Amino acid sequence: MANVQLTGLTTIIVLGASGDLAKKKTYPALFGLYRNGFLPEGTRIIGYARSNLSLQEFHNRLFEYAKLPTDPIKEQFKEFLKICTYISGQYDKDEDYKRLNKAVEEVESTIESGNKNRVFYMALPPSVFIPVGHGIKKNLYSNKGVNRLIVEKPFGMDLESSRELGKALAPLWREDETYRIDHYLGKEMVKNLLIIRFANVFFGAIWNRQSIANVQITFKEKIGTEGRGGYFDEFGIIRDVMQNHLLQILSIVAMERPISLNSEDVRDEKVRVLRCIPPVEQKDIILGQYTKSEDDTKPGYLDDKTVPPGSNCPTYAAATLWINNERWEGVPFILKCGKALNEQKTEIRVQFQHVPGNVFKNAPRNELVIRVQPNEAVYMKMTNKLPGLSMDTVISELDLTYQRRFSDLKIPDAYEALILDVLKGDHSNFVRDDELDAAWKIFTPILHKIDNEKLKPDPYAYGSRGPAKIDEFVASYGFKRPSETYNWPGRQ
């Protein structure tokens, strides 16, 4: 029952419904599924949070954050709001959960259905995961249908806290009922990685240490903490982005071919490759923290009043990981992520080895670049003859830019794709408990070192490319930067 597609009466309970995540991501995703007909017939959505809001006030908040470009879509959203109700209550009081359960039962009583399925979406900070997990299991668990629990990252602060969280929830919620969301696994280009790798014979032949010199996975944000520094300072960029988003991408780039597309077969291979990665060492990492922009128009991290004075929290990190198996031994996987940088992008850059015995001495290395966001694209940088009478070479590209090739198709939001997977009972794009454990083992030692020894991050200006030593750091692992005159036309 746990892995079946939900049909009939399904109640989605959004815990933390008045928070930023719910307003900006969860409810817009649910609306996207609603307007495209992907919610089970008879779906009802109940929001639950501590904020004391009337139903109209709650609806107004949702309306404020919804993207409604046309009048027909606005009308559809008004129809969607009719299936959305709201209850306020605490996260640690049984009587409030019982009140919520009564509201769910009232909704369920209005529709004739054999099954009464319930999906619990915890759009909440990790500090309340355990009391909420207990509260809903004790007071709202349905004995007349399927129950599913969606848990948002971060899953703990290190290996120990992650295991404590897992140990507290495991007796209550079975692994097949639990869906740990990392929204990067719902992004179109991350989901496309499996197909690029395993459905194209030419990539299969060169996807190894004999052909690949290094791999970079980069996450850049143009904005800083923007008043959310107090929250961010608890976690830092490694916990916020690298240990989850970037490591998930790495696991798909590096995994072996699964025996099938069954969710457990895919996740088995991801876990196997993560177990081949030793913990990150201090010599293989650099940390940064942004300061004021060079023109003084943007504040530094420590200028944020919500950040503790003198904080050493890194807002930038670059780390090199090594995979000790037959396919990848000796190939550096360089993960880079940061806030307040010069551009917004997430991309995977696979740089190939030099051509052996190359008679064209100045020919640069080939690269495969997969742009995850924005402007999704896949392009291969190759050396080509410059048209004319000479034998001069030029870097060109085999270019698949989604905006041009698939101009008539809409790429779904990552949260839409993942919530739909939950409704289908498909775990493929969710993090399994042993996968989470393997990921924390890689980063926990260096995180403890950063926290305990107060490692000081290198300063970098808001709007720059990051710490000054980043180019030297990347070059030390064999990355060869192409000619500065090269510009991919599809870049913007």
Side-chain angles (χ1 to χ4, degrees), residues 57 151 166 198 219 222 276 404 454 490:
E57 287 172 329
V151 186
F198 300 122
F219 170 99
K222 290 182 77 170
C276 293
R404 289 201 294 266
K454 308 294 183 192

Side-chain angles (χ1 to χ4, degrees), residues 287-337:
L287 306 172
Q289 186 186 89
Y290 68 88
T291 58
K292 278 185 181 178
S293 58
E294 290 181 357
D295 61 3
D296 279 347
T297 59
K298 295 287 188 179
Y301 179 69
L302 296 178
D303 297 325
D304 185 333
K305 289 183 170 55
T306 63
V307 171
S311 169
N312 282 331
C313 177
T315 60
Y316 181 98
T320 301
L321 276 59
W322 305 92
I323 302 173
N324 295 332
N325 64 12
E326 185 180 7
R327 182 183 293 273
W328 296 114
E329 187 167 357
V331 177
F333 282 74
I334 305 162
L335 310 185
K336 301 183 297 181
C337 52

Side-chain angles (χ1 to χ4, degrees), residues 228-273:
R228 294 180 67 245
Y231 169 82
F232 181 83
D233 205 79
E234 288 182 55
F235 301 99
I237 197 71
I238 296 175
R239 291 183 178 94
D240 194 45
V241 176
M242 186 178 285
Q243 181 272 342
N244 39 71
H245 299 335
L246 300 195
L247 197 60
Q248 284 295 323
I249 293 174
L250 179 150
S251 68
I252 302 172
V253 169
M255 65 187 268
E256 297 298 317
R257 182 192 301 273
I259 60 173
S260 79
L261 291 178
N262 174 280
S263 62
E264 296 312 304
D265 291 336
V266 172
R267 298 198 294 181
D268 283 346
E269 296 304 335
K270 289 170 68 183
V271 173
R272 280 194 188 98
V273 79

Side-chain angles (χ1 to χ4, degrees), residues 36-211:
N36 288 298
F38 285 118
L39 292 180
E41 189 178 347
T43 294
R44 295 294 183 268
I45 302 165
I46 299 181
Y48 181 81
R50 288 179 294 212
S51 303
N52 190 15
L53 301 171
S54 69
L55 183 58
Q56 189 57 52
E57 287 172 329
F58 179 65
H59 283 178
N60 290 344
R61 283 196 182 195
L62 298 184
F63 206 92
E64 182 186 347
Y65 284 93
K67 293 175 181 174
L68 308 169
T70 65
D71 287 337
I73 293 177
K74 282 180 185 173
E75 290 305 311
Q76 279 184 310
F77 193 77
K78 288 175 184 175
E79 290 300 310
F80 168 70
L81 290 178
K82 291 178 182 177
I83 67 168
C84 298
T85 56
Y86 179 80
I87 304 286
S88 65
Q90 299 302 308
Y91 296 131
D92 57 355
K93 290 186 177 177
D94 278 349
E95 57 266 33
D96 287 352
Y97 285 119
K98 285 173 181 168
R99 204 159 41 80
L100 173 60
N101 185 57
K102 190 176 178 185
V104 175
E105 287 176 341
E106 284 174 8
V107 165
E108 290 174 341
S109 68
T110 62
I111 300 173
E112 288 295 325
S113 174
N115 283 347
K116 291 179 168 46
N117 307 312
R118 296 183 181 182
V119 176
F120 302 93
Y121 192 123
M122 297 212 293
L124 296 163
S127 57
V128 296
F129 283 174
I130 293 173
V132 171
H134 276 270
I136 56 179
K137 179 61 190 281
K138 181 180 176 183
N139 300 289
L140 285 114
Y141 193 87
S142 173
N143 295 312
K144 298 177 181 176
V146 176
N147 295 271
R148 289 180 182 158
L149 177 70
I150 305 173
V151 186
E152 275 281 352
K153 77 163 188 77
F155 316 112
M157 295 286 286
D158 55 15
L159 181 61
E160 185 182 0
S161 59
S162 172
R163 284 178 173 173
E164 283 176 9
L165 182 59
K167 202 178 291 183
L169 293 178
L172 305 169
W173 296 90
R174 300 193 311 268
E175 182 63 22
D176 61 7
E177 292 178 326
T178 306
Y179 293 76
R180 298 176 192 84
I181 274 198
D182 183 325
H183 74 270
Y184 261 67
L185 291 175
K187 289 190 177 292
E188 182 70 19
M189 295 308 291
V190 176
K191 295 176 91 166
N192 192 22
L193 278 172
L194 279 177
I195 295 172
I196 289 173
R197 283 205 53 200
F198 300 122
N200 295 291
V201 66
F202 52 92
F203 284 134
I206 59 176
W207 214 259
N208 52 54
R209 61 191 176 90
Q210 285 79 27
S211 299

Side-chain angles (χ1 to χ4, degrees), residues 284-388:
D284 286 329
I285 194 167
I286 62 171
L287 306 172
Q289 186 186 89
Y290 68 88
T291 58
K292 278 185 181 178
S293 58
E294 290 181 357
D295 61 3
D296 279 347
T297 59
K298 295 287 188 179
Y301 179 69
L302 296 178
D303 297 325
D304 185 333
K305 289 183 170 55
T306 63
V307 171
S311 169
N312 282 331
C313 177
T315 60
Y316 181 98
T320 301
L321 276 59
W322 305 92
I323 302 173
N324 295 332
N325 64 12
E326 185 180 7
R327 182 183 293 273
W328 296 114
E329 187 167 357
V331 177
F333 282 74
I334 305 162
L335 310 185
K336 301 183 297 181
C337 52
K339 288 183 170 291
L341 296 171
N342 60 321
E343 60 181 327
Q344 170 125 359
K345 73 173 181 181
T346 303
E347 71 176 23
I348 304 153
R349 183 175 298 270
V350 179
Q351 187 170 78
F352 294 92
Q353 303 279 7
H354 283 296
V355 176
N358 194 350
V359 295
F360 300 99
K361 301 301 181 189
N362 296 321
R365 290 174 170 178
N366 300 129
E367 289 182 352
L368 171 69
V369 181
I370 300 168
R371 176 69 68 89
V372 176
Q373 66 175 27
N375 305 325
E376 294 86 348
V378 182
Y379 65 99
M380 174 73 85
K381 288 165 64 173
M382 58 176 284
T383 303
N384 194 34
K385 177 184 174 296
L386 187 67

